[in-house]
Amino acid sequence: MTIEEIESLPYRPCVGIMLVNANGLVFAGQRIDGPEGAWQMPQGGIDEGESPADAAFRELEEETGAGRDLVVPLGSLDEWICYDLPTDLIPKLWGGRFRGQRQKWFLFRFVGTDDQIDIVTKDPEFNEWRWCPQSDLLTRIVPFKTRTYRRVFEEFEALT
C-alpha cells in the first residue's frame, strides 16, 4: 500500500479497558497472535449499533471472563484516542481496511478474586495474564501503543 492509500483509510472504532485491582495494579494479557512478550490491556471493536460502554463490558468478558458483576465502572475518557498501525501490519489486519484504531477508553475496578479471571474463552486472545504496575506494562507493550497507554494512565491517574 502507498502512503496516500494508508492515509486515506479510516480508523477502526474500538474500546479499550484499563482494569485495575484493589492494589491499583493493571490487568495485562500476553497476546496469542503477537510477538512473544507483546502484552496489552483488553480492547476490541465496537459492533454495529452497540454503544461504546456496552462494547467495553462485552470485550472485557470475552477476553477475561470478568462480567459486569465482577467490575465497578470508575470512569471513561471523554475524547477518543487514535493510534496508527505500523505500515507493514495494515494490509494484514482487518483486511487492510483501517490505518489503526480510534479508541474510547474505560476504567473498571475488578472486585472479584483472581480465580474468576478466565482467559480460556471461546475465542481466546491471551495465553497468559498478570496484574502489573503501569510502568511495567509500558515496557511490555508493542511500541506503537506506548503513547496511547501513557495518555490513558495519565488521564485515569486521579481515579486509580
Side-chain angles (χ1 to χ4, degrees), residues 15 44-59 62:
V15 293
I46 300 171
D47 292 340
E48 184 76 29
E50 185 177 41
S51 74
D54 286 340
F57 281 112
R58 177 184 51 75
E59 285 291 337
E62 286 177 2

Side-chain angles (χ1 to χ4, degrees), residues 7-18:
E7 288 176 351
S8 71
L9 293 172
Y11 288 98
R12 176 179 179 247
C14 176
V15 293
I17 300 105
M18 182 174 166

Side-chain angles (χ1 to χ4, degrees), residues 83-154:
Y83 71 81
D84 290 327
L85 292 168
T87 54
D88 62 314
L89 289 181
I90 292 172
K92 299 174 185 174
L93 298 176
W94 309 302
R97 295 175 297 148
F98 303 103
R99 68 187 291 178
Q101 297 200 89
R102 179 177 176 257
Q103 298 179 314
K104 177 77 168 178
W105 279 88
F106 294 83
L107 174 64
F108 294 126
R109 176 151 336 267
F110 182 69
V111 294
T113 57
D114 285 359
D115 63 336
Q116 291 174 296
I117 298 281
D118 184 8
I119 61 172
V120 184
T121 60
K122 180 182 171 207
D123 296 307
E125 296 205 20
F126 304 128
N127 58 16
E128 187 178 336
W129 75 275
R130 66 178 60 167
W131 296 110
C132 63
Q134 295 172 18
S135 58
D136 185 43
L137 182 53
L138 286 172
T139 67
R140 296 176 180 274
I141 59 172
V142 291
F144 61 88
K145 291 184 182 181
T146 302
R147 196 176 106 246
T148 296
Y149 276 37
R150 282 187 201 280
R151 178 147 178 228
V152 169
F153 293 158
E154 288 169 9

Side-chain angles (χ1 to χ4, degrees), residues 2-50:
T2 67
I3 296 297
E4 293 78 23
E5 289 172 323
I6 290 171
E7 288 176 351
S8 71
L9 293 172
Y11 288 98
R12 176 179 179 247
C14 176
V15 293
I17 300 105
M18 182 174 166
L19 182 66
V20 296
N21 67 10
N23 298 319
L25 299 174
V26 179
F27 175 94
Q30 183 176 19
R31 291 195 57 88
I32 287 175
D33 61 354
E36 187 173 333
W39 292 73
Q40 70 177 43
M41 292 185 281
Q43 67 173 48
I46 300 171
D47 292 340
E48 184 76 29
E50 185 177 41

